[in-house]
Amino acid sequence: MTSDALDAPDALGALGAVDVLGAIDAVNWSEIPRPTWHACDEPERVGQALRQLVLSTTANRTGDAAALLAGGGFVRGHAGVVFPAAYAAAPILLELVEHGPRPRVKSAALGLLSEALDCLPAAGHNRVDTPCGTDVPLCCAIARHIRSRREALVAHGRGGGRLLTEADRHWRLTIDEVEPQADGTLIALAVLEGSLQGAPVAAEVHPSPSTGPASTSLIESLTVDAIGAACVRLGVAPLEAVPAGSILYPAECGLREH
């Protein structure tokens, strides 16, 4: 057990602090890509600020740690920019939203996650690699982390609900089966995460396994049931363009840059 955790028994409880600090230390922050605008955008600063937030026991310390995260590396709030390190930091902040012992720590973590979705990715740094695919739009990758804690965020109240609503706009469709139609369109059975409304809408197609840059397809129509099972009509495209196992994201998310 680290001495930091022992010195801050009120932060998460000694064992909880060790678990979260271990998650922070497990990230190789120095290898996360970043723009070279200013030293305050170094990803290493994100790990340091997260440690401070976990161990904060006063309002001032919580505020200082949140300000460090909001001032560079995670987001640069005054410029409206989010950085790739936010993807690695999101699960840690969500752990604090769910298990943080004080309202101010929970609120700080929730606010930072909201900023991460609101801000635009830095130019040239708007994609990350995830266990489910490469070159995923940064906002969509963060949103999926957020959706994974849906029950905890709903329990958090209005702020958690607002964050989930925002995350659901960054939807994800996983294609299970595809059938070509006589008119050249494709009918696909899929699973929807998030909320997709307002079809037709352009989608970025990520085949699995990825074979190159994502292509774009048009979702002409979609019906979805209460548990996310969806039937999708895709615009004219060869069957090999959207094979079973493909993952679709909003095309507009792949274009978001500051």
Side-chain angles (χ1 to χ4, degrees):
M1 184 173 294
T2 67
S3 59
D4 280 346
L6 288 171
D7 289 342
D10 293 333
L12 275 177
L15 181 58
V18 170
D19 291 342
V20 179
L21 292 173
I24 296 169
D25 293 341
V27 177
N28 191 340
W29 299 98
S30 63
E31 290 193 354
I32 297 176
R34 66 175 179 92
T36 56
W37 298 341
H38 194 276
C40 72
D41 297 323
E42 292 177 353
E44 294 94 326
R45 291 171 59 92
V46 177
Q48 295 164 7
L50 286 170
R51 289 182 66 89
Q52 292 181 39
L53 185 59
V54 170
L55 298 173
S56 65
T57 56
T58 67
N60 285 342
R61 290 181 179 178
T62 299
D64 289 346
L68 286 173
L69 288 163
F74 178 80
V75 297
R76 191 187 280 188
H78 68 274
V81 182
V82 60
F83 302 104
Y87 170 68
I92 295 160
L93 291 171
L94 286 161
E95 186 70 13
L96 292 178
V97 171
E98 184 169 2
H99 297 297
R102 290 187 174 84
R104 59 176 172 263
V105 174
K106 293 174 180 282
S107 294
L110 194 67
L112 287 161
L113 289 162
S114 181
E115 279 201 79
L117 284 186
D118 286 344
C119 292
L120 293 176
H125 294 81
N126 67 334
R127 296 178 179 273
V128 293
D129 293 342
T130 78
C132 296
T134 59
D135 290 329
V136 176
L138 176 59
C139 52
C140 295
I142 294 171
R144 195 166 197 235
H145 276 319
I146 292 168
R147 286 195 298 270
S148 74
R149 299 295 188 102
R150 184 173 296 276
E151 289 185 8
L153 289 168
V154 168
H156 191 72
R158 186 176 299 174
R162 282 197 298 265
L163 181 62
L164 280 169
T165 297
E166 179 58 33
D168 281 345
R169 295 190 181 105
H170 303 269
W171 47 263
R172 180 182 193 267
L173 266 174
T174 303
I175 303 297
D176 288 335
E177 300 177 31
V178 187
E179 182 178 333
Q181 303 299 296
D183 62 359
T185 62
L186 301 173
I187 295 293
L189 299 181
V191 176
L192 174 66
E193 298 177 24
S195 177
L196 196 170
Q197 299 179 0
V201 63
E204 196 174 273
V205 182
H206 293 246
S208 180
S210 177
T211 56
S215 61
T216 301
S217 184
L218 182 69
I219 296 176
E220 294 188 349
S221 63
L222 172 141
T223 57
V224 60
D225 67 16
I227 61 171
C231 181
V232 186
R233 179 180 290 274
L234 299 169
V236 175
L239 182 60
E240 58 269 21
V242 192
S246 295
I247 298 173
L248 278 59
Y249 300 99
E252 64 178 350
C253 289
L255 301 175
R256 295 181 81 226
E257 280 192 342
H258 192 282

